[in-house]
Amino acid sequence: MVFESYCELQEIIMKKRVLSGMRPTGRLHLGNYLGAAKGMLELQNNPEYETYFTVVDIHATTTPYDAKTLRQSARDVYIDYLSVGLDPEKSGITIQSDLADLITQLSFYFSSVESVARMQDLPTFKEKVRQHPHNVTMALLNYPLLMAADILIYKASLVPVGIDQEPHLEVAREVARRMNDRFGMDFPEPKRFSTKAEYVPSLLGEGKMSKTVEGSAIDLNDDLDTILKKLSKAPTDSGQGEVVPTTGGVANLFQFVELFQGSPKRAEYESQYTGNGVRYGDLKKELAQAIFEELRPIQEKRKELELDPEFVDRMILEGAEKSRIIAEGTVREVREKMGLR
Ligand code: TRP
C-alpha cells in the first residue's frame, strides 16, 4: 500500500475502533434514537474512529424469545440503523448471526479463561435468573463472553453503551488480559465510552422512555397525529406555580421542549409557568410538530428502504462480508496462539 503522506499513514494506524450493539427487541423509539443511535452517528462521522455496529440476535436466544419473529426483528433494527443514517460505506454494520461461526467460536475459546463462579456472580445474570427462574441456561451464563467476543473479534477498544453494561465490559477486559497473558494475544482492554447521549424521559412523567411501558414511548415511525395523541396523555398540572417542577410530568415535558426546540424555548415556558401560566394544549401542539420534523427524514429514508428489499439484503450481506475479513483474522490468530489447528 502506498500512502499519500505520513499524516494519512498515521491516521490509519491511530484510528480507534468502536463497536456497539443493540438487541433486536423491536423497532427503535425516540429514546433509543437520542440515547444511542445519534451518538453512533457522531462516532461514524468522526474520522478519528473506525466504527462497527451490530444487531445482536444471538444474544436474544439467551432468554425466552419467539423464533418466528426474531429474523424480522433483527432486520427491522438493521433498517432502523440505515434509516437514522448509519452508512455501510463508513461503518461495518452486521447482524450478529451472519458471523455466528466466528463469534460463537471465539466466545467458546474465551470460556476457557473465565470461571463459572465469576459469571454466576454478575448482577445482570442474577437479575435474569430472578426474571426467568426456569430458563437459567448455559447460553445465559455465557452471555458476557458472547458480548466479549462481539467486541474483541474486532479488537475494538471503545464501546458506547449504557452504564448498566459496565459489569460486562469488566468481563471483556478480564478476558482480554488473560488471553494476552496466557497466549500472547494483543487484545485491547475495551472501555465503555459515553457519547453525548441524551436522557430521554418517559411521556408518563416517571422513569425513562421504554418500549415495555405502555404509552411511555414515541416510536420512530409515529406520524404527527400519533405523536400529538401520545403527548396529549402526558400528565400536566394547572400550568402555574411559584417554582418550576424538577420532577414528574411537567418537568419531563419541559425537558422534551429543550431536546427538540432548544433551551431558549424552555426558558420561555418556565417564565410563563412562574408568570401568567403555561397553556399545555399549545405547548404540546408545537412540541409534537418539532418532534415530527426531526423524525420525518428518518421515516422517509425508511420508506425508501422498504420499497427496495433487495438493496437491504445486499447491504446486510456486504456488511457481513466486510466485517468477516477482520473477524476471521482474529479467530485465526487466537487458534494459532492457543495451539489449535
Ligand atoms: N448487552 C448489550 C445490551 O443488553 C447488548 C450487546 C451485546 C452489546 N453485545 C454487545 C453492546 C457488544 C455493545 C457491544 O444492551
Side-chain angles (χ1 to χ4, degrees), residues 19-23 54 56 59 96 143 147 150-151 159-161 164-165 168:
L19 172 107
S20 193
M22 269 192 206
R23 298 177 62 147
T54 178
V56 293
H59 278 82
Q96 187 186 26
Y143 185 110
M147 179 161 164
D150 287 330
I151 300 165
V159 185
V161 280
D164 61 312
Q165 296 297 311
H168 291 152

Side-chain angles (χ1 to χ4, degrees), residues 128-317:
K128 287 284 193 286
V129 170
R130 268 195 299 276
Q131 278 175 0
H132 310 286
H134 302 297
N135 276 284
V136 185
T137 59
M138 290 302 295
L140 184 62
L141 191 64
N142 201 58
Y143 185 110
L145 298 180
L146 187 60
M147 179 161 164
D150 287 330
I151 300 165
L152 295 175
I153 208 161
Y154 300 113
K155 299 189 178 173
S157 56
L158 297 171
V159 185
V161 280
I163 184 101
D164 61 312
Q165 296 297 311
E166 189 57 35
H168 291 152
L169 282 178
E170 252 164 52
V171 170
R173 288 192 286 271
E174 204 170 278
V175 165
R177 271 196 304 277
R178 290 183 186 159
M179 294 298 292
N180 297 348
D181 291 349
R182 291 188 197 169
F183 303 114
M185 286 296 299
D186 65 344
F187 285 124
E189 291 185 29
K191 287 190 194 54
R192 197 171 66 85
F193 178 71
S194 34
T195 54
K196 266 195 289 157
E198 309 282 3
Y199 175 84
V200 186
S202 159
L203 291 179
L204 301 175
E206 255 176 64
K208 70 174 189 179
M209 188 173 275
S210 156
K211 260 183 287 241
T212 46
V213 183
E214 181 67 25
S216 113
I218 289 175
D219 296 329
L220 287 191
N221 64 335
D222 283 346
D223 58 17
L224 183 56
D225 221 40
T226 312
I227 296 171
L228 195 55
K229 266 197 204 113
K230 287 184 178 172
L231 276 182
S232 70
K233 291 197 190 121
T236 52
D237 58 11
S238 68
Q240 225 171 1
E242 265 166 41
V243 283
V244 178
T246 52
T247 57
V250 172
N252 285 4
L253 268 186
F254 286 174
Q255 165 126 31
F256 276 109
V257 168
E258 179 167 341
L259 285 172
F260 293 94
Q261 299 175 276
S263 6
K265 192 77 192 170
R266 178 187 182 136
E268 206 181 301
Y269 283 125
E270 287 185 342
S271 70
Q272 285 178 15
Y273 194 90
T274 51
N276 293 335
V278 179
R279 290 217 302 268
Y280 290 116
D282 295 345
L283 178 152
K284 287 177 173 182
K285 232 180 258 162
E286 274 187 44
L287 177 59
Q289 189 67 46
I291 293 176
F292 181 63
E293 286 312 322
E294 174 112 13
L295 297 187
R296 199 207 298 261
I298 301 172
Q299 296 179 357
E300 278 165 7
K301 182 81 207 239
R302 178 153 190 122
K303 265 190 213 126
E304 240 173 71
L305 292 166
E306 274 167 356
L307 285 174
D308 196 351
E310 281 99 42
F311 173 79
V312 173
D313 289 341
R314 201 167 70 240
M315 289 302 105
I316 295 176
L317 267 181

